[in-house]
Amino acid sequence: LETARHLDQIVEALTTAVGPLLLVIDDVHWADDLTWAFVRSERLNRLSNVPICVIASYRTNEPGARDLHELDQRVWTRIELERLDVDGVREVMLALMRRHDIPSGLDRALHEVTGGNPLHLTECLHEWMVEDATQDRNPRQLAPLSKWRGMIPRSISVLLEGRLASATGAARGCARVAAIIGDEFTLSELEGPVHALWPDEIGRASW
């Protein structure tokens, strides 16, 4: 009853707000109970006739994530976001770094390092930009190009370590084998070494 009362209050506030209004709910995969109840609620149908747009971001394959299948497909439109291409990486770099241009080849180098993953890209930018007190208009200066290649930000390492810690032994083995093989591989190439090392757990090698 308490949750229902809170939901009624939230929806009532949204329907009476002066629009147009954009509501962004970030990281729904980690939503608390009330937020998840809101995005699942049939009450959202009451917003269909008011000038409001609700956007919820959700990252798939997160351990312990909420199940998207619980959402009402009549309310939500699902849009799958692809990885960034080189041009997309360049646009993000220019926006986050507040620059009009970047050194030649840097966008391609960052695309190679991050694989076009937006989270990885933004963490790289935040970690590898250094303060430059000598430039009043642009206090940020890029680290040398050589330092951008093959490096993984500490925040990404912590994220990966957390995921691996919650995985089964066979799943961690899959990750190690995949890292050795390279960026692209077939399932059969992965199954052989993993089956040889963890024959009793191959069927449970999931995240």
Side-chain angles (χ1 to χ4, degrees), residues 12-86:
E12 178 64 22
L14 292 174
T15 55
T16 58
V18 177
L21 180 66
L22 173 63
L23 173 63
V24 179
I25 308 173
D26 200 16
D27 291 341
V28 173
H29 46 278
W30 291 328
D32 58 22
D33 291 340
L34 180 58
T35 303
W36 187 244
F38 172 74
V39 298
R40 292 178 56 203
S41 177
E42 295 180 355
R43 295 170 176 82
L44 291 178
N45 285 314
R46 291 159 51 184
L47 303 178
S48 59
N49 295 321
V50 296
I52 180 173
C53 176
V54 182
I55 298 177
S57 69
Y58 180 97
R59 193 159 61 242
T60 57
N61 300 323
E62 285 291 332
R66 302 283 190 170
D67 188 356
L68 278 182
H69 293 94
E70 297 181 20
L71 301 185
D72 190 341
Q73 300 304 310
R74 297 170 300 177
V75 174
W76 294 96
T77 299
R78 183 170 177 174
I79 302 175
E80 298 281 351
L81 299 180
E82 302 294 335
R83 290 174 177 264
L84 299 171
D85 57 15
V86 175

Side-chain angles (χ1 to χ4, degrees), residues 170-192:
R172 290 193 295 272
C174 284
R176 286 195 291 269
V177 172
I180 294 172
I181 294 175
D183 292 339
E184 298 181 2
F185 49 84
T186 64
L187 183 59
S188 60
E189 289 175 324
L190 188 64
E191 283 182 338

Side-chain angles (χ1 to χ4, degrees), residues 81-84 89 92 96 114-125 156:
L81 299 180
E82 302 294 335
R83 290 174 177 264
L84 299 171
V89 168
V92 172
L96 293 185
T114 64
N117 184 303
L119 174 63
H120 193 169
L121 173 62
T122 54
E123 292 301 320
C124 282
L125 293 173
I156 297 296

Side-chain angles (χ1 to χ4, degrees), residues 138-205:
N138 181 16
R140 300 187 180 194
Q141 179 183 8
L142 288 173
L145 178 59
S146 60
K147 293 186 178 181
W148 293 68
R149 298 184 182 278
M151 296 180 65
I152 300 178
R154 178 58 186 163
S155 56
I156 297 296
S157 297
V158 171
L159 176 63
L160 294 176
E161 289 168 2
R163 289 186 174 184
L164 289 172
S166 62
T168 65
R172 290 193 295 272
C174 284
R176 286 195 291 269
V177 172
I180 294 172
I181 294 175
D183 292 339
E184 298 181 2
F185 49 84
T186 64
L187 183 59
S188 60
E189 289 175 324
L190 188 64
E191 283 182 338
V194 173
H195 189 275
L197 294 171
W198 298 276
D200 298 329
E201 296 189 52
I202 186 63
R204 302 195 299 274

